[in-house]
Amino acid sequence: MSPKYVYFFGNGAADGKAEMKHLLGGKGANLAEMTNLGIPVPPGFTITTEVCDAYYKNNKQYPKGLSEEIEQNLSRLEKLMGAKLGDPNNPLLVSVRSGAAASMPGMMDSVLNLGLTPDAVNVLIKKTGNERFVWDAYRRFITMFGDVVMGVERHCFEEVLDKYKKKARVKSDTELTTDQLKKIVEEFKAIYKKETRENFPNDPKIQLQKAINAVFASWNNPRAVKYRQLYEIKGLLGTAVNVQSMVFGNMGNHSATGVCFTRNPSTGENKFYGEFLINAQGEDVVAGIRTPEPIADLEKEMPDVYKLLVKYKNTLEKHFRDVQDIEFTIQENRLFMLQTRNGKRTTQAAVKIAVDMVKERLIDKKTAISRINPNELDQLLHPTFDPKAKKEIIAVGLPASPGAATGKVVFNAEDAEKLAAKKEKVILVRKETSPEDIGGMHVSKGVLTTRGGMTSHAAVVARGMGKCCVAGCGALIVDYKTQTFKVGGKVVKKGDYISIDGSTGEVMLGQVSTIEPRLSGDFAVLMEWADEIRKLKVRTNADTPADAKKARELGAEGIGLCRTEHMFFGEHRIDSVRQMILSAPDVKNLKAKIAGIEKELAKATNNKTLAIKKELAQAKKELTEPLRLYISALKKLLPIQRRDFEQIFTTMDGLPVTIRLLDPPLHEFLPQEEYNQKEMAKQMKISLKEVQDKVSALHELNPMLGHRGCRLGVTYPEIYDMQVQAIIEAACNVKKKGVTVCTEIMLPIISTEQEFSILKDSVHRIAKEVMQKKGVQIEYMVGTMIELPRAALIADKIAKHAEFFSFGTNDLTQMTFGFSRDDVGSFVPEYIEKGILEKDPFQILDQEGVGQLVEIGIKRGRSTRPELKVGICGEHGGNPQTIAFCHKIGMNYVSCSPFRVPIARLAAAQASLQQPVSQATV
């Protein structure tokens, strides 16, 4: 049996139905469905998406038998309409429209009034008695055919139209006379011939074939391709083509055209919403050529038609169980429905509509949850720019942290803090941020960097703070000396206003007005439903009591990552940290020297003993001052860290708190720029050279692979001992006050079983000492971040000692790909464009490579310790696609920045609805 390529609809019956969107496209499937429901639809036929697929696969050649099928269905349409395409005495006019399975409004092409020829014009004038209407339809047809089918620039036609309106001193097309329209048609034909070097076709069959070709070609026009990329529309065969008999809204004051929504798509209010135009065709409403009237006014103009329209919109919403976006035409008081589809809506409206429809029993809770795009919840949680505001975009970077921010430009953290103290709004502009910028980032409205990717320091910290951030904006040339940045010939100075959009990456000159977010009661209801369904727990990445409090308000069920190093940059803290860092290497080196001398002394003969003893005494003397400074710094930091942990434990009362011990290399805590080094030398009462020597000594060629994480804990055990002491003391103190503490101590950058074993023993030793001293018993766990490929591969050995795993996928991605996450902006966009990578692997987890390591780590870990708790705490933990993967492979929880907690809760619920958990990893 040969394949069926064309499906007919009309006269109350259709070959297709709504469930056939993949084959008929959304428009064709819904035209068939409306026809079957008895709703008045102009009859026609749909050429399937399989034809589009074959067209592109076969060098733009159509499949065999298509022409015959089109001819058969055209004959059927002509018989039904009592008119014939190209008949000089009774011409049939049709529209040719696109329609893919996924809604892509305005992205592909349509042609109206097809079939008009000089002969048809004369016949229609006699039949309708409305000469002006026919000439108006003809000039529209030439414009659309020339533009869509033959590539003639639309403005060529519009300039002629504007010339006639100006000459006639009228504003609207509807005010042009019949004679003027006749002259316009002649000029349009001349333009067509000049641009295409051929006469406008007078054979409707040729018009039809060319229009069908053009619609299929529009599937791959630049705007349609871009739209599919932006909205991640994949897996479609192509567009369908809908050939439909014409109805006319431009036949006079008893005709009209309009677009309506069954509910308000901006607010979600259950109120009929839309616009219409008297004496117009559909393109007039969309193009904005005339100002439409609100749909409610149609009741005054045509009360019977309005009543029928309300009836049909109610029927369609109940049938499709979703908000419908409807196109209609009224031809001489007769209503026709031209299209219905699920309506696009704002996130605020989507939440309200979903909750309302459950209350109205149109849909169930599961359907409501599945209808909300988790990523779009960002619009409800962060400020956005007023869509009506004027914007002068000067550059575009990476949308690293959502939100909208306006403020004065500053180029260092110190200036940011000074201006913020005066209640000024500031945007911190840096080439790249480092941990020492954290104070400035905290007080800024937004952060803009010229380097770094979506998981750079700036991006990660900004997301955690809920701050707007645009990263990797390479078009900006920042000059710290002159306190300016240049872009596209413009110079922006310190103190000038700029605006940045962390959701789009746009950088704008001047102040752009923003709209503050508002959370509705419907949002809370939707989140409750999501929590009922999801299996994954959702924790947060939080380093301060304020972050923890906000995350808990947004539904976090614990802290999955508390980064202790971020606590070191608070007021009066950094000096103690720097004192510790300056003295630590000397202490380490002198201890090593003393150990070496003691070994030498043990082996020495009597005649050398005295000299070696003197050398040993001298080394111990040299150790005294650095050791004093080192111990002093640690003693200063201990109560600060303890107080931080007490506040976080209190805020998260009863919920788990995972605290990662110091992770970054020590050089990150020292200033890299000379003016900051001078300030540090002054505060520490040492010379600039001494500071610079220490910075140089701690410098590593590749610090991300260097002396960091657990390696610091092994080589500088006193630092980790101090942190563990602070954690356990804090837990004991708040427990005495009635707070329920669930603490988890996490060791970072583990690559060997021995590293973990040594450090775990040290954690237990310190914890035991503190609990004995305090007279309080604390339940705590010791686990690790799996962020190195080797750790994932030997997870069965590490799990002998570790009570939980948390996958640090930022570093794991970095180590697996060999990409620096701060430098990927220079080449990953091109990799994506060329199809080497589908997505930035720092935004969406690479399931094929990195994901395989994660799955191996879980399976091997649980082979040793079946009850092993497993989570993810990299930035991927807030990405819906990654969350679905985490659900599938049997993780216990995901952890993300506070403002992504609702997104993760909804995404986890959707994952539960879409797929079962892998039994192999549970």
Side-chain angles (χ1 to χ4, degrees), residues 475-771:
L476 270 60
I477 301 170
V478 171
D479 188 331
Y480 289 143
K481 288 184 179 178
T482 61
Q483 299 279 280
T484 63
F485 72 76
K486 296 178 182 177
V487 58
K490 297 182 184 296
V491 178
V492 178
K493 305 184 296 295
K494 175 184 172 182
D496 290 348
Y497 277 99
I498 63 169
S499 301
I500 61 174
D501 190 332
S503 301
T504 65
E506 292 172 344
V507 180
M508 292 151 277
L509 210 55
Q511 300 183 68
V512 180
S513 57
T514 58
I515 299 171
E516 289 303 308
R518 290 180 299 175
L519 292 180
S520 66
D522 292 323
F523 175 83
V525 170
L526 189 77
M527 288 295 102
E528 284 178 20
W529 294 345
D531 293 342
E532 291 170 9
I533 290 168
R534 65 185 167 88
K535 303 291 188 296
L536 274 173
K537 296 288 185 183
V538 177
R539 299 192 192 182
T540 189
N541 301 340
D543 314 319
T544 67
D547 287 347
K549 183 174 182 292
K550 172 55 69 176
R552 189 158 191 173
E553 288 170 1
L554 292 171
E557 297 165 297
I559 292 177
L561 176 61
C562 176
R563 294 160 286 214
T564 53
E565 62 270 10
H566 287 179
M567 300 172 173
F568 288 166
F569 285 91
E571 195 176 354
H572 309 308
R573 302 177 181 202
I574 192 64
D575 293 344
S576 297
V577 175
R578 287 170 173 169
Q579 180 182 315
M580 174 188 78
I581 291 168
L582 291 175
S583 54
D586 291 338
V587 170
K588 176 173 172 285
N589 293 337
L590 285 166
K591 281 186 174 182
K593 182 179 178 181
I594 289 167
I597 295 171
E598 286 175 338
K599 284 182 182 179
E600 191 179 346
L601 182 61
K603 297 175 184 176
T605 55
N606 288 336
N607 61 334
K608 291 186 177 180
T609 301
L610 186 60
I612 294 172
K613 282 183 177 179
K614 283 184 179 180
E615 187 183 357
L616 180 62
Q618 179 60 31
K620 287 182 176 179
K621 186 178 179 181
E622 290 173 12
L623 176 63
T624 304
E625 183 58 15
L627 185 61
R628 183 190 70 77
L629 291 171
Y630 185 47
I631 298 301
S632 170
L634 290 171
K635 283 183 177 178
K636 289 176 184 175
L637 288 171
L638 175 65
I640 293 171
Q641 289 253 281
R642 182 174 60 229
R643 186 167 61 250
D644 287 335
F645 296 137
E646 286 174 352
Q647 291 173 343
I648 287 173
F649 288 148
T650 301
T651 302
M652 303 306 287
D653 185 3
L655 298 178
V657 177
T658 305
I659 300 170
R660 182 181 72 186
L661 301 187
L662 190 65
D663 180 48
L666 295 179
H667 81 274
E668 286 198 7
F669 298 97
L670 299 179
Q672 305 301 307
E673 291 156 6
E674 188 173 306
Y675 71 90
N676 285 329
Q677 291 174 345
K678 286 179 180 177
E679 187 67 27
M680 176 180 164
K682 183 180 176 183
Q683 290 173 343
M684 306 290 291
K685 297 179 181 178
I686 57 177
S687 69
L688 174 62
K689 186 176 184 305
E690 285 178 276
V691 172
Q692 290 174 334
D693 286 347
K694 289 293 182 184
V695 171
S696 178
L698 288 170
H699 173 75
E700 294 177 291
L701 290 174
N702 195 337
M704 295 308 292
L705 299 176
H707 197 179
R708 57 174 289 217
C710 68
R711 299 155 199 169
L712 289 172
V714 171
T715 55
Y716 300 113
E718 300 86 359
I719 297 176
Y720 272 22
D721 287 353
M722 178 274 292
Q723 291 194 298
V724 173
Q725 183 180 344
I727 291 166
I728 302 300
E729 284 181 356
C732 291
N733 292 346
V734 298
K735 186 176 180 181
K736 287 179 180 179
K737 296 177 182 178
V739 174
T740 301
V741 181
C742 311
T743 187
E744 299 171 354
I745 298 171
M746 185 157 67
L747 306 173
I749 305 290
I750 292 291
S751 62
T752 72
E753 181 183 359
Q754 291 78 8
E755 282 173 325
F756 189 89
S757 180
I758 289 168
L759 293 172
K760 182 184 179 184
D761 289 346
S762 183
V763 169
H764 285 327
R765 174 178 55 80
I766 297 293
K768 185 177 179 182
E769 290 172 4
V770 171
M771 288 189 288

Side-chain angles (χ1 to χ4, degrees), residues 12 192 320 345 494 800:
Y192 181 94
F320 288 104
R345 64 208 80 173
K494 175 184 172 182
K800 292 176 185 175

Side-chain angles (χ1 to χ4, degrees), residues 15-29:
D15 298 343
K17 54 186 177 180
E19 291 78 16
M20 297 172 70
K21 283 185 181 180
H22 187 66
L23 186 66
L24 303 180
K27 186 174 293 180

Side-chain angles (χ1 to χ4, degrees), residues 152 188-200:
V152 180
F188 277 12
K189 285 184 176 181
I191 290 168
Y192 181 94
K193 185 172 183 178
K194 179 185 174 184
E195 296 294 327
T196 66
R197 297 183 181 179
E198 60 183 61
N199 290 323
F200 191 81

Side-chain angles (χ1 to χ4, degrees), residues 138-307:
Y138 200 15
R139 65 94 184 169
R140 291 172 185 271
F141 173 47
I142 297 169
T143 302
M144 295 185 83
F145 192 89
D147 172 27
V148 171
V149 177
M150 302 302 292
V152 180
E153 294 289 341
R154 196 176 187 94
H155 70 80
C156 295
F157 300 112
E158 288 172 347
E159 285 170 5
V160 171
L161 199 62
D162 290 341
K163 179 184 74 175
Y164 273 87
K165 286 192 286 187
K166 188 175 181 181
K167 188 177 179 181
R169 296 183 179 179
V170 298
K171 290 183 179 180
S172 173
D173 300 355
T174 57
E175 296 174 274
L176 291 169
T177 66
T178 302
D179 287 340
Q180 287 165 339
L181 288 171
K182 286 180 182 179
K183 292 174 183 176
I184 288 168
V185 165
E186 291 309 309
E187 287 202 38
F188 277 12
K189 285 184 176 181
I191 290 168
Y192 181 94
K193 185 172 183 178
K194 179 185 174 184
E195 296 294 327
T196 66
R197 297 183 181 179
E198 60 183 61
N199 290 323
F200 191 81
N202 286 330
D203 184 340
K205 293 288 180 74
I206 292 174
Q207 294 174 359
L208 179 60
Q209 189 57 62
K210 282 180 175 285
I212 291 170
N213 293 348
V215 172
F216 280 133
S218 72
W219 173 249
N220 278 334
N221 71 35
R223 67 179 184 269
V225 171
K226 187 67 176 177
Y227 189 92
R228 293 198 295 275
Q229 288 174 349
L230 289 173
Y231 290 92
E232 298 185 8
I233 298 171
K234 298 172 186 174
L236 303 185
L237 293 173
T239 182
V241 176
N242 299 286
V243 178
Q244 194 173 11
S245 55
M246 281 296 302
V247 287
F248 299 95
N250 59 331
M251 289 186 73
N253 290 334
H254 296 291
S255 299
T257 189
V259 176
C260 58
F261 291 79
T262 55
R263 302 188 190 214
N264 189 312
S266 295
T267 66
E269 184 183 5
N270 191 358
K271 187 177 180 182
F272 197 17
Y273 177 96
E275 298 172 323
F276 74 101
L277 276 172
I278 297 286
N279 194 19
Q281 285 199 311
E283 60 174 318
D284 297 338
V285 179
V286 178
I289 296 166
R290 290 163 54 193
T291 303
E293 298 177 57
I295 198 72
D297 289 358
L298 184 62
E299 188 173 16
K300 301 171 192 171
E301 299 282 349
M302 304 177 196
D304 291 339
V305 172
Y306 179 78
K307 187 177 179 181

Side-chain angles (χ1 to χ4, degrees), residues 2 10 31 68 95 141 148 174 267 337 339 415 471 518 566 578 598 627 755 772 831 838 844 857 895:
S2 58
L31 285 170
E68 290 78 8
S95 64
F141 173 47
V148 171
T174 57
T267 66
M337 308 297 268
Q339 174 172 290
D415 286 346
R518 290 180 299 175
H566 287 179
R578 287 170 173 169
E598 286 175 338
L627 185 61
E755 282 173 325
Q772 284 178 345
Y831 267 43
E838 189 175 340
I844 298 175
S895 188

